[in-house]
Amino acid sequence: MTDTTQTEIAAEPRLVVETGLDRRVADIIEPTIEQIGYRLVRVRLSAQNGATLQIMCERPDGTMTVEDCEQVSMAVSPVLDVEDPIDKAYHLEVSSPGIDRPMVRKSDFSRWLGHLLKCETSILVDGRKRFRGKIVATDENGFTLERDQPAAGDEPTVVIPFAALAEGRLILTDELIRDALAADKKAKAAQAANQNDEDGDDEE
């Protein structure tokens, strides 16, 4: 897994965005979420429990604690109350992207290089729209997948342009769990070190 600077991540737009009402909600809450130091991953209104608005977000370093979820929830609730985009009662649910996360930014692909992904494209790429394989390379324009189970006649790798990506998600494996837990531990250690530095500055 490679590191990306927090500034780059915070300012990085999403490749995959919502449509319809979900998009309207995302447009309303994203500035507020960014203002308090988080980044939006996905918004989805579902029929769960009558109606549930799921807001998936994370810190720039990829972590997201229960306390972080509560902070985002408290920040976006009054904004949603004022704008009132949803014309019925709903439950608000703020969560982390999870280990088998949606891939919505270019940095997600470089961050999780070497891991399995399933994705769909909006146009035909190499004769199809659905792919599954390991992320083996990424650049400014797209990413390369090493196909998991190539069919007869398929090339072993395929290059998918970011512009064609409609949806992507990591596939849960033992290696992914191990790397995700290690990355989380490293990020939390860095947060603790930064907090100690700030506390030391305050005491001087």
Side-chain angles (χ1 to χ4, degrees):
M1 202 173 100
T2 57
D3 291 325
T4 309
T5 66
Q6 288 198 351
T7 310
E8 286 173 349
I9 291 175
E12 187 185 359
R14 292 183 299 153
L15 299 165
V16 180
V17 295
E18 300 77 9
T19 57
L21 182 56
D22 290 348
R23 176 65 182 270
R24 189 174 169 212
V25 172
D27 289 343
I28 290 169
I29 64 172
E30 191 160 20
T32 300
I33 288 173
E34 289 179 350
Q35 195 173 4
I36 59 172
Y38 299 89
R39 59 180 190 171
L40 183 64
V41 175
R42 189 181 72 191
V43 169
R44 181 168 291 173
L45 183 64
S46 72
Q48 187 181 342
N49 295 330
T52 298
L53 178 63
Q54 184 196 48
I55 298 171
M56 200 178 274
C57 51
E58 63 189 352
R59 286 175 176 266
D61 62 12
T63 61
M64 194 70 181
T65 64
V66 172
E67 291 76 19
D68 291 328
C69 291
E70 290 171 353
Q71 188 174 347
V72 171
S73 182
M74 286 191 294
V76 301
S77 288
V79 178
L80 288 169
D81 287 344
V82 170
E83 296 290 341
D84 199 23
I86 302 168
D87 61 356
K88 57 185 173 183
Y90 62 91
H91 303 277
L92 178 62
E93 179 186 290
V94 178
S95 70
S96 74
I99 294 177
D100 54 342
R101 56 169 301 132
M103 305 285 274
V104 299
R105 290 179 170 86
K106 291 180 181 180
S107 61
D108 293 339
F109 291 85
S110 54
R111 177 178 279 201
W112 297 107
L113 205 63
H115 288 284
L116 278 174
L117 168 84
K118 58 181 177 182
C119 67
E120 290 188 30
T121 55
S122 55
I123 57 172
L124 288 175
V125 175
D126 206 17
R128 63 180 62 196
K129 286 188 173 183
R130 291 187 177 183
F131 301 89
R132 175 188 163 112
K134 184 189 293 186
I135 308 165
V136 292
T138 180
D139 60 25
E140 184 62 27
N141 300 314
F143 58 97
T144 304
L145 282 187
E146 184 181 272
R147 296 182 200 261
D148 193 22
Q149 295 173 326
D154 280 346
E155 291 292 327
T157 61
V158 59
V159 177
I160 300 174
F162 285 127
L165 184 68
E167 188 176 353
R169 179 179 282 276
L170 289 175
I171 296 171
L172 204 58
T173 61
D174 290 342
E175 291 79 8
L176 178 60
I177 293 169
R178 182 195 65 216
D179 283 4
L181 292 175
D184 192 60
K185 185 176 180 181
K186 181 181 175 184
K188 285 177 178 172
Q191 287 174 21
N194 289 338
Q195 187 61 49
N196 289 337
D197 289 344
E198 289 172 10
D199 291 345
D201 292 341
D202 291 343
E203 288 170 7
E204 290 176 4

